[in-house]
Amino acid sequence: MTVSSGSPGWYLRRLSRMGPREVGGRVGDTVRRRRWRSARPDCPSVTGARFTAVLPAGTVASVPPDAAKRLIAEADRLMDGHAEYFGVERDDLADPDWWYDPKTGRRAPWGYAFDVPYRDEDAVGDIKQIWELSRHQYLTVLAAAYAVTGDDRYAERVAAHLRSWWKANAPLRGVHWTSGIELGIRLLSWVWVRRLLDGWPGAAGLFEGNPVALQQIWHHQRWLAAFPSRGSSANNHIIAEAAGQFAAACAFGWFPSSARWRADALRSLERHLRGNTFGSGLNRELATEYHGLVLELGLAAVAEADAAGVPVPVSIRQTLLRMTDALAAVVDGRLRPPRQGDADDGHGLVVDGTGTDRWASLLATGDALFGRLDWWPTVTGTDLRTPLLAALVRPYAQDASAPAVSRPASRPAHFADAGMTILRGPEEIWCRCDGGPHGFLSIAAHAHADALSVEVRHDGVDVLADPGTYCYHGQPAWRQYFRSTLGHNTLQLDGADQSVSGGPFLWTRQARSRVLVADTSDEAVARWSAEHDGYRDTVHRRRVELTAASRELRVVDEVRGPRRAVRLAFHLGPAIAADLAGNRALLTWTRDGEDRSAALDLPGQLDWRAHRGESDPPLGWYSAGFGRKEPATTLVGTGFTDGTQGFTTVLRFHG
């Protein structure tokens, strides 16, 4: 059962996941919000402000021509008023309504920020549709287009939209002042807008010479200093808050509180970047897109520190290096990382045009800043962000204060702390096995009930797919499905999830998993085994073997406990066609114009049916990105277990 956010039941469940310190902090936040309602101070006067965190001379000239071409094409589309957010096309960006949700047609209400019921889609609209535009990452793209071309049209559009936004969103009024992650990312965007517009004659008058801009920048930082994400909510949000606060306090360090804000944000960033990251380098939320978001935010923060000459703890650079090595280790042959946990298309810093590969860009930046290892995959694409960051960030190898760091001599396959194992076979067979923690912190906000699930690709094509996320707020049945046990390639008992949901970002009971075997040393056969305790009085154990010579993946499920109803699901990627006959499915697809196929032999003890695009209840869907879904085939076997037999599934790729 999913309890809607904001209901009395949700508040009780949410409170139960907090410790005393967090409760005390939130009580203080409540008192502060009431006080701020009637006492909004003005920004202190600023004189002689100058922006000095500029790009080194010659940086823009180093941008690869094809990256510049993609950027300009995207910028021109934006200039024409067109953009797409979460599957919804917009044609109103020439003069946007900052509170309008094009998905539902609703406008968020005006009023004191903390009174706005932003979780209520009926009252506000789809909050992510409203918030996304006001992250102003499309303005960083337009500003980058100005930097590359020198065309004033792009700069003038940026200036017009910033002035419009500042006028429409007075401090502490409206929906854009309700969430710290939005303020943090917006500040980071403003820093880069100012940097990229530096050659434009109107840049200083738009920012440091503009009292309205100064007031907005000051109030954003005051807000972030007062209301940090706390305790069970200190996940990727606190990283965005700290990174945005730190970046602004470095680049816009014009206020009496700037030094304090900078120091506090840096301490928070160091603490939480380390706390959000396993020793292996993977993000503790076990949601791959948030690994990318946190890595982008951390790199952007270090860029501001180096541009301003602010020393940062060496642990920050070391954490970012470990994150980059971990990303290089888990991607498949097409540089696609696992599709694990929640994904909402969130980015930390956007300066590139559509079509730029996010993960290739991060690895290219990692190569520039840390140096690639011999086992890293080859990155062939280009991007704009890498040369910009590389121009500001001091490479790790040139940091005399940084101690030597031990990096993997060969490509890691098993991440024990994260419970993730990658099995690799010939012809780019790639298999992720999940035996890790349910999620991060007491609420595990971005986790899915996916213990012991597998995700299998062939040359980058999803064969046994993780269906994705699709939505957060407003559509509880779909939110529940995409993070359910049935919504993953694993086994469900008695129609229940392994972990118990208390709301769209809250788990009240979490399955515990442990990896029993993770042996990838044998080139002939790679083996993995794990179990979890998500079903009381019953243990689900799964064994996976990948045999190179036969290109065969064998999955054996054992259920130890009383007789239970079983549903075993295998979700096929959207490119896969399936012909199911009895307990055998012939899978076919095309890759780069070549026909491919595989046979999937399913456990004969179960009755198998193919489901595709069903809505009541949801089953047979794939979400390639937030807000987007498409029908895909899901094979579901139903039956019973008596606690003795196993269920064997064999996937054999044809030559």
Side-chain angles (χ1 to χ4, degrees):
M1 178 183 70
T2 298
V3 178
S4 62
S5 261
S7 69
W10 177 83
Y11 279 113
L12 289 173
R13 288 166 172 81
R14 186 67 183 85
L15 184 63
S16 73
R17 311 307 292 176
M18 300 180 193
R21 184 174 181 180
E22 180 179 355
V23 171
R26 290 179 182 270
V27 169
D29 289 346
T30 300
V31 172
R32 193 173 298 111
R33 286 168 182 152
R34 289 176 179 172
R35 188 171 67 245
W36 282 24
R37 178 192 296 273
S38 58
R40 192 189 80 182
D42 290 328
C43 169
S45 61
V46 173
T47 58
R50 294 177 59 246
F51 183 82
T52 59
V54 298
L55 289 169
T59 298
V60 174
S62 68
V63 171
D66 55 339
K69 183 178 180 180
R70 289 194 304 272
L71 166 70
I72 295 167
E74 177 68 8
D76 288 343
R77 182 168 177 255
L78 292 169
M79 291 290 289
D80 289 339
H82 298 287
E84 182 208 315
Y85 295 111
F86 311 131
V88 177
E89 293 284 346
R90 298 191 64 155
D91 59 5
D92 61 339
L93 260 67
D95 184 18
D97 181 340
W98 304 108
W99 296 2
Y100 175 68
D101 166 27
K103 177 181 167 185
T104 65
R106 297 187 179 97
R107 292 187 81 250
W110 172 257
Y112 182 56
F114 299 115
D115 291 341
V116 177
Y118 67 89
R119 294 187 180 95
D120 185 346
E121 186 168 299
D122 290 336
V124 175
D126 186 327
I127 191 59
K128 283 195 59 72
Q129 287 285 347
I130 297 171
W131 276 345
E132 189 68 18
L133 189 65
S134 289
R135 289 186 171 189
H136 288 170
Q137 292 175 327
Y138 79 99
L139 294 183
T140 57
V141 170
L142 290 174
Y146 166 77
V148 167
T149 65
D151 189 334
D152 286 351
R153 292 183 307 119
Y154 300 121
E156 289 163 357
R157 176 63 59 83
V158 171
H161 280 204
L162 283 177
R163 294 182 191 277
S164 168
W165 194 93
W166 291 332
K167 181 179 180 180
N169 294 277
L172 299 179
R173 294 295 182 267
V175 73
H176 296 303
W177 292 88
T178 60
S179 175
I181 187 174
E182 303 306 315
L183 276 74
I185 290 177
R186 192 155 54 239
L187 277 177
L188 185 59
S189 294
W190 292 352
V191 168
W192 275 88
V193 165
R194 176 62 184 88
R195 173 174 291 126
L196 292 165
L197 293 185
D198 191 62
W200 181 55
L206 179 63
F207 280 93
E208 57 266 33
N210 181 0
V212 175
L214 293 172
Q215 183 184 70
Q216 286 277 349
I217 294 167
W218 183 81
H219 274 284
H220 271 67
Q221 293 187 82
R222 177 176 178 262
W223 194 109
L224 289 172
F227 301 112
S229 293
R230 299 182 185 277
S232 55
S233 295
N235 53 10
N236 64 85
H237 283 230
I238 192 67
I239 304 294
E241 293 159 12
Q245 177 82 301
F246 179 71
C250 286
F252 302 147
W254 307 318
F255 308 103
S257 297
S258 292
R260 174 171 56 82
W261 287 337
R262 184 167 57 243
D264 290 348
L266 185 58
R267 279 193 296 270
S268 177
L269 182 66
E270 192 278 334
R271 173 190 170 196
H272 291 290
L273 189 60
R274 183 162 34 87
N276 273 251
T277 309
F278 285 114
S280 64
L282 290 178
N283 184 266
R284 285 184 182 271
E285 293 201 74
L286 295 173
T288 307
E289 281 211 2
Y290 288 110
H291 182 106
L293 172 66
V294 169
L295 181 54
E296 289 169 352
L297 291 166
L299 292 170
V302 170
E304 297 310 323
D306 286 357
V310 176
V312 298
V314 69
S315 61
I316 290 180
R317 297 182 196 269
Q318 290 178 337
T319 299
L320 297 174
L321 179 134
R322 285 188 286 111
M323 292 181 71
T324 308
D325 279 343
L327 176 62
V330 300
V331 295
D332 65 20
R334 301 276 180 151
L335 302 185
R336 294 182 62 217
R339 284 167 53 89
Q340 182 180 23
D342 273 349
D344 71 348
D345 296 357
H347 292 255
L349 173 64
V350 179
V351 291
D352 278 283
T354 301
T356 301
D357 188 308
R358 175 186 196 174
W359 308 104
S361 170
L362 279 170
L363 291 177
T365 303
D367 184 5
L369 303 186
F370 306 121
R372 72 184 308 277
L373 297 172
D374 291 342
W375 53 262
W376 273 32
T378 300
V379 176
T380 56
T382 63
D383 71 312
L384 186 77
R385 188 175 60 191
T386 290
L388 299 185
L389 287 174
L392 297 174
V393 178
R394 182 173 61 252
Y396 189 88
Q398 296 179 15
D399 187 347
S401 66
V405 60
S406 176
R407 300 175 68 185
S410 59
R411 190 174 201 168
H414 176 58
F415 299 82
D417 48 11
M420 182 189 293
T421 306
I422 306 294
L423 309 181
R424 297 178 188 271
E427 299 181 9
E428 291 295 348
I429 297 172
W430 177 98
C431 173
R432 173 182 64 86
C433 303
D434 180 4
H438 175 66
F440 183 47
L441 302 173
S442 62
I443 63 172
H446 291 297
H448 290 186
D450 57 356
L452 309 196
S453 63
V454 295
E455 182 186 4
V456 181
R457 300 177 191 156
H458 184 279
D459 195 16
V461 174
D462 291 313
V463 179
L464 301 183
D466 184 300
T469 298
Y470 177 55
C471 66
Y472 281 169
H473 298 288
Q475 302 175 78
W478 290 101
R479 175 64 170 154
Q480 173 66 12
Y481 168 69
F482 274 98
R483 63 185 198 141
S484 70
T485 297
L486 184 62
H488 295 83
N489 297 316
T490 188
L491 184 145
Q492 183 197 61
L493 296 181
D494 291 342
D497 285 338
Q498 309 151 336
S499 296
V500 178
S501 171
F505 298 98
L506 172 64
W507 296 91
T508 56
R509 184 171 62 79
Q510 303 176 19
R512 294 175 298 177
S513 303
R514 66 180 183 126
V515 175
L516 306 173
V517 175
D519 183 3
T520 60
S521 60
D522 187 339
E523 294 185 1
V525 183
R527 297 179 174 87
W528 175 87
S529 177
E531 64 183 21
H532 76 82
D533 66 354
Y535 299 112
R536 288 173 178 150
D537 304 321
T538 301
V539 173
H540 173 208
R541 177 175 293 179
R542 170 170 276 187
R543 292 184 285 116
V544 179
E545 292 185 354
L546 177 58
T547 303
S550 59
R551 299 189 292 277
E552 177 182 290
L553 186 80
R554 181 176 295 264
V555 180
V556 180
D557 290 293
E558 299 174 357
V559 181
R560 299 182 179 183
R563 178 180 172 85
R564 310 286 289 268
V566 171
R567 283 200 291 184
L568 180 60
F570 290 104
H571 299 261
L572 308 182
I576 308 299
D579 183 7
L580 177 65
N583 68 319
R584 166 170 269 220
L586 177 63
L587 312 182
T588 55
W589 66 97
T590 301
R591 178 57 149 167
D592 297 333
E594 179 182 345
D595 292 336
R596 312 277 180 96
S597 64
L600 184 62
D601 290 314
L602 301 158
Q605 309 100 304
L606 303 177
D607 294 324
W608 289 91
R609 285 187 57 198
H611 303 263
R612 185 177 180 87
E614 299 172 10
S615 298
D616 189 19
L619 186 60
W621 297 91
Y622 179 94
S623 174
F626 197 84
R628 302 188 296 274
K629 69 181 189 299
E630 60 185 299
T633 300
T634 298
L635 305 175
V636 179
T638 59
F640 293 88
T641 175
D642 61 11
T644 59
Q645 84 268 40
F647 303 100
T648 299
T649 304
V650 179
L651 174 64
R652 185 176 296 106
F653 292 96
H654 298 152

